[in-house]
């Protein structure tokens, strides 16, 4: 069964600083991986996805993530944080059997300090 | 085009009452999912529809929870005899069901509060 672990339930960075949100996955087959963002009182919006093509994936709002099979990681980064990046971020792995549902990590709340 | 919509956006109910939550997926999306998000936690899968059949109900927490879908359109999640632990945000997502399109598109959710 696939699973996802997000290290750090809360991350705080200064405006303009590097953003790094960690995600490790467990999967017996090559995974499909996703990062979603959730702004307050809103649904989830897809930031980016990895589906076995290029290992460095670029998404919206300047975010990118690198799939590292040897480390079973899919960390999300952004070179320079903006105040508008404050939100909750979820890493997810898509199952291959049955429903092909998404299995989510617990989420990381990102706070941006002025 | 229109995204996934859910109604109501907020629902407050008393313990023991039944509630119905509605999801309108993106037109043409054959796959529909319900998830539950408890405060401060990630999303838990509840049920998956392909068309109007539900081949995976493995996430429904108890027999008080049920869901149906009309064709490839609206879905309703029903919770009978609500309990306080049912308080959560219930999110619906849809997906085209096409090869090569793997992401799910989420609605804004229904926040359920059981008093």
């Amino acid at each position: 069964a696939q699973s996802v672990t997000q290290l750090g339930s809360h991350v705080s960075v200064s405006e303009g600083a590097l953003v790094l949100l960690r995600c490790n996955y467990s999967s017996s087959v090559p995974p499909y991986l996703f990062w979603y963002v959730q702004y307050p009182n809103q649904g989830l919006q897809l930031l980016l996805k990895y589906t076995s093509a290029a290992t460095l994936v670029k998404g919206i709002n300047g975010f990118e993530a690198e799939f590292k099979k040897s480390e079973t990681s899919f960390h999300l980064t952004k070179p320079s944080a903006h105040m508008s990046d404050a939100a909750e971020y979820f890493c997810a792995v898509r199952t291959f059997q049955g429903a092909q549902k998404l299995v989510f990590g617990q989420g990381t709340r990102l706070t941006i300090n002025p | 085009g229109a995204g996934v919509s859910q109604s109501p956006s907020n629902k407050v109910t008393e313990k023991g009452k039944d509630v119905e939550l509605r999801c309108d997926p993106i037109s043409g999306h054959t796959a529909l999912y319900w998830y539950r998000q408890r405060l401060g936690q990630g999303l838990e899968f509840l049920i998956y529809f392909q068309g109007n059949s539900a081949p995976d109900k493995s996430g429904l927490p108890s027999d008080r929870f049920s869901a149906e879908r009309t064709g490839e359109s609206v879905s309703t999640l029903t919770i009978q005899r609500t309990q306080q632990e049912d308080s959560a945000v219930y999110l619906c997502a849809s997906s085209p069901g096409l090869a090569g399109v793997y992401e799910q598109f989420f609605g804004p959710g229904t926040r359920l509060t059981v008093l």
Side-chain angles (χ1 to χ4, degrees):
Chain A
Q2 286 114 326
S3 65
V4 168
T5 301
Q6 290 183 241
L7 299 176
S9 58
H10 290 86
V11 170
S12 181
V13 302
S14 298
E15 191 174 18
L18 171 71
V19 175
L20 170 60
L21 305 182
R22 299 178 187 273
C23 172
N24 288 87
Y25 69 89
S26 172
S27 178
S28 58
V29 297
Y32 290 168
L33 295 159
F34 304 83
W35 275 100
Y36 282 87
V37 60
Q38 186 178 35
Y39 297 103
N41 300 314
Q42 295 187 27
L44 275 70
Q45 179 182 5
L46 180 69
L47 274 178
L48 48 81
K49 63 182 178 183
Y50 168 76
T51 56
S52 75
T55 57
L56 182 62
V57 180
K58 295 186 183 299
I60 62 171
N61 301 338
F63 284 93
E64 63 182 37
E66 186 171 8
F67 173 71
K68 291 187 176 181
K69 183 178 179 180
S70 61
E71 299 177 8
T72 61
S73 69
F74 190 56
H75 301 332
L76 181 70
T77 60
K78 182 174 180 177
S80 177
H82 294 169
M83 296 300 292
S84 60
D85 294 328
E88 185 118 24
Y89 292 79
F90 292 94
C91 183
V93 63
R94 176 178 171 268
T95 65
F96 280 86
Q97 298 80 25
Q100 300 176 348
K101 62 199 176 199
L102 294 176
V103 176
F104 287 86
Q106 294 296 91
T108 298
R109 182 168 299 279
L110 177 63
T111 302
I112 312 297
N113 301 314
Chain B
V4 178
S5 62
Q6 293 185 246
S7 61
S9 55
N10 280 284
K11 176 72 176 178
V12 179
T13 191
E14 294 179 348
K15 177 181 174 181
K17 300 283 190 181
D18 297 353
V19 296
E20 282 191 357
L21 312 179
R22 177 187 169 107
C23 172
D24 284 87
I26 294 172
S27 178
H29 281 195
T30 59
L32 187 147
Y33 302 79
W34 283 97
Y35 294 86
R36 178 171 70 175
Q37 184 179 24
R38 289 173 160 162
L39 186 63
Q41 299 187 24
L43 280 72
E44 307 168 71
F45 167 79
L46 296 177
I47 187 170
Y48 157 67
F49 286 92
Q50 180 60 44
N52 63 3
S53 67
D56 190 344
K57 306 177 183 179
S58 62
L60 293 178
S62 75
D63 59 7
R64 295 187 295 105
F65 287 71
S66 63
E68 62 181 24
R69 187 180 184 194
T70 306
E72 294 183 353
S73 184
V74 172
S75 175
T76 302
L77 177 68
T78 301
I79 309 173
Q80 295 179 309
R81 305 180 303 281
T82 52
Q83 303 295 312
Q84 289 183 332
E85 62 262 28
D86 299 334
S87 295
V89 177
Y90 290 82
L91 288 159
C92 175
S94 69
S95 183
L98 298 173
V101 181
Y102 306 109
E103 62 263 40
Q104 296 176 17
F105 298 83
F106 283 81
T110 293
R111 182 176 299 277
L112 174 66
T113 303
V114 182
L115 301 177

